[in-house]
Amino acid sequence: MTNKEQELFGEEVIERVAEWEDAIVLEPRSTFNRAIIGSDTDYRIVYSVKRIIDALMEDNEIDETDALEHFEYNTLGTFRGMQDNNKPLFVHEEFIF
């Protein structure tokens, strides 16, 4: 999929979960929508960690280490300890069989 196709798919998923007003969508959408791989039955958006890292590297012209650090601190760090049932899901695709 091209970046534009990934963004459009991300928007389709967001539209599907929009009926659930508490769904959490990561910003900026121009980066994170490319990492959306679906949603679950509880209207939570599912993001690919690998695609997030790739998008951060491309958009910010940084290497993988810096992109991973940025993701862990600025994205995952905001959800640590958060008991919100609407927080997005992050999938490490290399572990899916």
Side-chain angles (χ1 to χ4, degrees), residues 3 7 13 16 29 33 36 41-43 49 54-55 58 65 68 70 74 79 81 84 87-90 93 96-97:
N3 283 346
E7 278 185 66
V13 171
R16 258 197 327 261
R29 289 185 180 187
N33 280 9
I36 294 174
T41 57
D42 292 325
Y43 300 100
V49 172
D54 290 344
E58 183 177 325
T65 301
L68 182 58
H70 176 87
N74 295 300
F79 293 110
D84 191 336
K87 64 185 173 185
L89 301 174
F90 300 99
E93 293 176 273
I96 299 175
F97 294 91

Side-chain angles (χ1 to χ4, degrees), residues 56 66-80:
L56 289 170
D66 289 340
L68 182 58
E69 184 177 297
H70 176 87
F71 168 67
E72 289 176 344
Y73 183 79
N74 295 300
T75 304
L76 287 183
T78 63
F79 293 110
R80 288 206 171 97

Side-chain angles (χ1 to χ4, degrees), residues 25-34 47 56 59-60 70:
V25 180
L26 298 180
E27 298 285 344
R29 289 185 180 187
S30 60
T31 298
F32 290 103
N33 280 9
R34 297 193 321 254
Y47 292 91
L56 289 170
D59 291 358
N60 298 299
H70 176 87

Side-chain angles (χ1 to χ4, degrees), residues 82-97:
M82 184 173 154
Q83 299 304 313
D84 191 336
N85 292 332
N86 302 314
K87 64 185 173 185
L89 301 174
F90 300 99
V91 174
H92 292 273
E93 293 176 273
E94 59 270 14
F95 297 114
I96 299 175
F97 294 91

